[in-house]
């Protein structure tokens, strides 16, 4: 598996209190903090656009369970998932990004 044992624990499992995900402190786990920021941005944007998991799944082509796993911190999302979610929402999700990944790459 890419990432080896570093990805054997889900991001939320790295939090001292996993029940606080996606707002739990994650000291010493910068990659999990990125996943946490993605989950918060996704949750915020779904609320702003009043989208259900099903609706976002249809827009993005991403399975509802994959979206749920990202929101819950149960998985390490891949680049394709993040990019397709950004395209489905029409906004960047990656922390610090000002444009969607596919827009930056010129594949819009």
């Amino acid at each position: 598996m890419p990432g080896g044992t570093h990805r054997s624990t889900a991001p939320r499992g790295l939090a001292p209190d996993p029940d606080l995900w996606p707002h739990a402190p994650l000291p010493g786990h910068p990659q999990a903090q990125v996943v946490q920021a993605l989950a918060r941005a996704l949750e915020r944007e779904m609320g702003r656009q009043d989208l259900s998991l099903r609706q976002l799944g249809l827009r993005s082509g991403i399975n509802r369970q994959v979206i749920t796993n990202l929101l819950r911190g149960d998985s390490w999302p891949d680049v394709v998932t993040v990019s397709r979610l950004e395209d489905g929402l029409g906004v960047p999700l990656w922390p610090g990004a000002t444009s969607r990944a596919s827009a930056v790459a010129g594949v819009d």
Side-chain angles (χ1 to χ4, degrees), residues 29-61:
H29 300 289
Q31 291 74 28
Q33 290 172 348
V34 170
V35 177
Q36 191 175 53
L38 287 167
R40 286 193 306 259
L42 178 58
E43 181 179 64
R44 182 175 50 250
E45 196 57 34
M46 286 179 69
R48 191 183 75 72
Q49 294 186 32
D50 194 27
L51 290 173
S52 68
L53 291 167
R54 181 181 179 280
Q55 290 168 319
L56 180 54
L58 290 171
R59 277 191 186 187
S60 64

